[in-house]
Amino acid sequence: MDATTPSRRFWILNALAWAGYATYSLWLGVRIGGGTLFSGVVLISLSIAVSLWLCSGVLRSVALRQRWWDGSLGSLVLKLATGVVVGASIAQALTAALLLPALALGWVQLPGGRADYQLSSVVLYWMNTALFLLMWTGLWAGLHGLRRARHSELARLRVEAERSALERDALRARLNPHFMFNALNNLRALILEDPERARDMVTRLSRTLRHALAHNRSEQVTLAEELEVVDDYLAIEAIHFEQRLQVRREIAAEAVQAQLPAMALQLLVENAIKHGIASRAGGGEVHIRASLEDDLLRLQVDSPLCTGGEPAQGHGVGLAYLRAQLGTRGRFALQPIGDRMQALLEIPQ
């Protein structure tokens, strides 16, 4: 929708609303004048209607430009009420400025031949004008608030949909097809060659899949739990890569109970194997380090650079999911250092 459409629609409805008010005022003037429509009544009706049309439009423009709806409800009501008071006062002042000289010059006539501007009458005129302006202001302000709420809900639903799509993509990244194909092929070979290792592999594969499917993006696990998943994953990959995959671990004792997003470390290890070990004929070593200092969990996974020395970009979906899990809490970096690729993850506790 064109951004100018709501404003254009408002000005049309605003004109219709105050045209209706002017029509009502003229009809009331005829009733008061005993069936005669006096020119002074026409002047008053049109002057107030046009003034309120302009005042309500200006009030809306100021409210939108200064983003009154971004504040509290009390602040919004106070500002709108102040605008109604000022608008009604301006409308009555402009009408008096037109009517009194016109009466004095004999250009218009009123029932009784004069205008009643005693204090009680002035207050009554003002209250009548303020009441109509207040009702119209409350109507369009309420409709605008409902439209904002609807747009906010749609925006929230879009964010939820995007997050769900990211989680679905991340699930596919977790269940890497190459990993699954290799695991199943290796399992098929082991069933006849080494049934005991085949049973162990089935157990580890089952635990890996269960862990991947059981956690959503908001869940945290301990490093000890995450290391169990990583051990199962590495044991399965070791059957495929055999001597090409070497693993070295340096895990500080104080870090094992630290919290981190589920599958975060597994994603780093998987990325290291896929883009480091698997790309080199001779394989290499994956070095996993974990430490906890000043309530900051620091995880580091080093692996050989891929063949050709180009920095590995990783499977973007999985690492993008990891960044989404971290949000503003934590830091993730992937960079080549010498002949190795370093993935660094820092998570405040």
Side-chain angles (χ1 to χ4, degrees):
M1 179 183 294
D2 187 345
T4 62
T5 298
S7 293
R8 186 185 303 116
R9 184 167 55 232
F10 167 79
W11 281 106
I12 293 174
L13 293 176
N14 198 35
L16 292 175
W18 295 117
Y21 170 82
T23 302
Y24 168 76
S25 297
L26 292 173
W27 173 81
L28 192 62
V30 171
R31 295 289 300 274
I32 294 174
T36 302
L37 181 60
F38 287 87
S39 55
V41 173
V42 175
L43 175 62
I44 293 172
S45 300
L46 294 180
S47 173
I48 291 180
V50 172
S51 298
L52 294 182
W53 175 72
L54 289 172
C55 288
S56 59
V58 170
L59 177 59
R60 177 181 178 275
S61 297
V62 171
L64 292 178
R65 186 169 58 252
Q66 297 185 359
R67 307 177 70 87
W68 287 2
W69 278 267
D70 291 348
S72 65
L73 178 60
S75 173
L76 172 64
V77 171
L78 179 61
K79 290 175 181 178
L80 290 175
T82 302
V84 168
V85 170
V86 173
S89 301
I90 291 175
Q92 284 296 326
L94 288 175
T95 301
L98 292 173
L99 178 64
L100 294 178
L103 280 173
L105 295 172
W107 292 349
V108 296
Q109 292 80 39
L110 285 173
R114 66 183 184 85
D116 182 7
Y117 272 96
Q118 297 181 11
L119 180 60
S120 59
S121 299
V122 170
V123 172
L124 185 61
Y125 300 154
W126 182 88
M127 290 181 63
N128 177 71
T129 304
L131 178 62
F132 279 95
L133 182 57
L134 179 63
M135 289 190 297
W136 177 238
T137 299
L139 178 60
W140 63 253
L143 291 175
H144 181 75
L146 290 175
R147 185 165 58 248
R148 279 173 54 92
R150 186 171 67 251
H151 290 169
S152 296
E153 179 66 11
L154 289 174
R156 185 188 67 80
L157 291 175
R158 280 195 296 270
V159 170
E160 289 289 336
E162 291 171 359
R163 188 179 72 178
S164 296
L166 179 60
E167 290 186 351
R168 288 195 301 270
D169 289 341
L171 179 60
R172 287 196 294 269
R174 288 175 176 183
L175 305 179
N176 188 313
H178 294 291
F179 166 70
M180 292 297 299
F181 293 151
N182 292 336
L184 293 175
N185 285 332
N186 291 329
L187 178 60
R188 178 184 178 187
L190 282 176
I191 289 175
L192 296 178
E193 296 178 5
D194 193 337
E196 184 62 31
R197 289 187 67 192
R199 285 193 292 271
D200 179 66
M201 183 176 180
V202 169
T203 300
R204 291 181 180 275
L205 183 59
S206 175
R207 287 201 299 252
T208 301
L209 298 180
R210 185 185 305 114
H211 189 82
L213 294 171
H215 296 87
N216 60 46
R217 71 187 298 268
S218 63
E219 288 189 88
Q220 300 280 308
V221 298
T222 65
L223 179 58
E225 293 172 317
E226 185 75 359
L227 286 172
E228 291 178 0
V229 178
V230 170
D231 286 344
D232 287 336
Y233 175 79
L234 289 172
I236 296 170
E237 290 287 55
I239 295 174
H240 176 69
F241 289 102
E242 298 180 332
Q243 298 303 314
R244 294 173 59 205
L245 174 60
Q246 303 296 321
V247 180
R248 182 158 57 101
R249 297 184 3 164
E250 294 180 25
I251 310 298
E254 63 273 12
V256 294
Q257 293 305 314
Q259 298 281 318
L260 72 160
M263 302 297 286
L265 181 57
Q266 189 274 341
L267 279 173
L268 297 186
V269 173
E270 179 182 350
N271 192 66
I273 293 176
K274 180 179 178 182
H275 297 278
I277 305 301
S279 67
R280 301 170 64 92
E285 180 186 79
V286 175
H287 187 187
I288 304 172
R289 283 179 281 190
S291 62
L292 182 66
E293 297 180 5
D294 299 324
D295 288 331
L296 181 69
L297 175 63
R298 182 184 177 92
L299 300 173
Q300 186 173 316
V301 178
D302 297 342
S303 60
L305 280 175
C306 62
T307 303
E310 293 297 328
Q313 297 301 316
H315 42 74
V317 171
L319 297 186
Y321 177 74
L322 177 57
R323 291 187 175 93
Q325 285 179 304
L326 290 176
T328 57
R329 296 189 70 254
R331 184 174 76 91
F332 171 67
L334 183 66
Q335 59 185 343
I337 298 180
D339 61 350
R340 296 180 67 79
M341 176 62 71
Q342 180 188 89
L344 177 64
L345 189 60
E346 294 181 339
I347 305 171
Q349 299 298 297

